[in-house]
């Protein structure tokens, strides 16, 4: 990130002023990607989700074989977990986060696709672990915009993997099934780049998923 920022700053006036402006842009991009986790919000949403599940579904079944596979993968020390899931419903992110959190696997960082979110919903999802691709609109020229956005996003994914926070990537965008979405392609490319560049020695890809008798 610093290399990109200083590279564009060489031709600008005043090093101190230029660095301050770049730092503000970098912090703004990072704030678009993620928000600090809120334990209080997580507990409240887990409680509300249990109430919602009881009203929406006759029963919820947890596949013990798949759960054991996930727990076995989590016990492998030193390797970050990347969960890959199909995407049947907008509830999938909350449901999978709830299951993983309730099994002691921590709060995953969950990729939120290209669907439009209101600012309030985006803020709530961010507090619950949702992460977003930063918008590519702004006041910077397009080449600087792409360069800085890409650098901050790549550095963010590297840090998530290096700190061994679980990462959940949805491969599809409902209602379009069996087709790798553009956001998923970008997140997967960032994970691949982190391994290729040596930010982490390896990642463990774990398939997870939810199926419904009737999609809500």
């Amino acid at each position: 990130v610093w290399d990109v920022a200083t590279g564009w700053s060489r031709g600008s006036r005043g090093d101190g002023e230029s660095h301050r402006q770049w730092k503000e842009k970098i912090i703004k991009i990072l704030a678009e990607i993620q928000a600090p986790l809120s334990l209080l919000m997580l507990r409240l949403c887990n409680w509300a989700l249990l109430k919602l599940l009881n009203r929406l579904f006759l029963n919820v079944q947890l596949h013990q074989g798949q759960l054991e596979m996930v727990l076995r993968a989590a016990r492998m020390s030193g390797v970050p977990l990347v969960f890959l899931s199909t995407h049947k419903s907008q509830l999938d992110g909350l449901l999978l986060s709830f299951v993983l959190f309730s099994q002691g696997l921590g709060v995953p960082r969950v990729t939120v696709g290209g669907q439009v979110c209101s600012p309030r919903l985006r803020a709530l999802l961010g507090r619950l672990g949702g992460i977003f691709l930063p918008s590519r609109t702004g006041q910077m020229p397009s080449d600087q915009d792409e360069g800085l956005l890409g650098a901050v996003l790549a550095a963010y994914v590297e840090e998530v993997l290096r700190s061994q926070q679980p990462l959940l990537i949805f491969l599809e965008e409902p209602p379009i099934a069996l087709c790798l979405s553009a956001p998923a392609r970008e997140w997967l490319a960032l994970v691949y780049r982190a391994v290729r560049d040596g930010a982490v020695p390896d990642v463990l890809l774990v398939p997870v998923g939810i199926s419904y008798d009737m999609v809500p």
Side-chain angles (χ1 to χ4, degrees):
V1 173
W2 184 250
D3 289 343
V4 172
T6 53
W8 286 110
S9 297
R10 286 187 190 122
S12 61
R13 53 175 175 73
D15 283 345
E17 179 67 18
S18 175
H19 289 170
R20 185 185 63 78
Q21 291 176 353
W22 280 107
K23 185 176 180 180
E24 289 175 356
K25 291 174 182 177
I26 290 166
I27 292 173
K28 183 179 178 181
I29 293 170
L30 186 59
E32 283 191 57
I33 298 173
Q34 68 141 39
L37 292 173
S38 170
L39 190 59
L40 176 61
M41 292 299 298
L42 284 165
R43 294 185 187 280
L44 284 174
C45 282
N46 282 341
W47 173 82
L49 190 59
L50 283 173
K51 299 290 186 183
L52 179 64
L53 291 177
N54 288 329
R55 290 182 176 274
L56 278 181
F57 305 114
L58 293 176
N59 62 65
V60 178
Q61 298 176 358
L62 194 59
H63 192 292
Q64 293 299 323
Q66 189 180 50
L67 178 60
E68 178 57 34
M69 180 190 69
V70 172
L71 294 174
R72 191 166 64 246
R75 288 193 290 266
M76 294 181 64
S77 59
V79 182
L81 293 176
V82 177
F83 298 107
L84 303 179
S85 177
T86 56
H87 205 181
K88 306 300 182 187
S89 161
Q90 301 296 350
L91 281 175
D92 288 1
L94 289 174
L95 286 169
L96 284 171
S97 293
F98 170 72
V99 171
L100 296 173
F101 182 58
S102 66
Q103 296 300 315
L105 296 175
V107 182
R109 288 293 182 174
V110 183
T111 62
V112 180
Q115 63 263 31
V116 178
C117 294
S118 67
R120 287 186 178 181
L121 178 58
R122 188 182 179 107
L124 174 62
L125 293 176
R127 288 289 188 173
L128 299 176
I131 55 176
F132 303 80
L133 292 172
S135 60
R136 282 168 165 75
T137 58
Q139 302 301 317
M140 293 185 293
S142 60
D143 50 356
Q144 296 184 40
D145 188 11
E146 288 295 326
L148 190 60
L149 283 172
V152 174
L153 193 55
Y156 173 76
V157 171
E158 289 178 3
E159 287 303 315
V160 168
L161 296 175
R162 192 179 289 121
S163 61
Q164 297 192 32
Q165 296 180 62
L167 179 62
L168 172 59
I169 299 177
F170 285 109
L171 302 178
E172 307 164 337
E173 286 280 341
I176 303 173
L178 302 178
C179 180
L180 187 64
S181 68
R185 194 181 302 274
E186 189 162 354
W187 287 113
L188 289 170
L190 290 163
V191 172
Y192 167 74
R193 175 178 168 179
V195 177
R196 183 199 65 190
D197 294 347
V200 289
D202 199 1
V203 295
L204 196 59
L205 303 179
V206 182
V208 295
I210 295 177
S211 61
Y212 303 91
D213 289 335
M214 181 179 293
V215 177

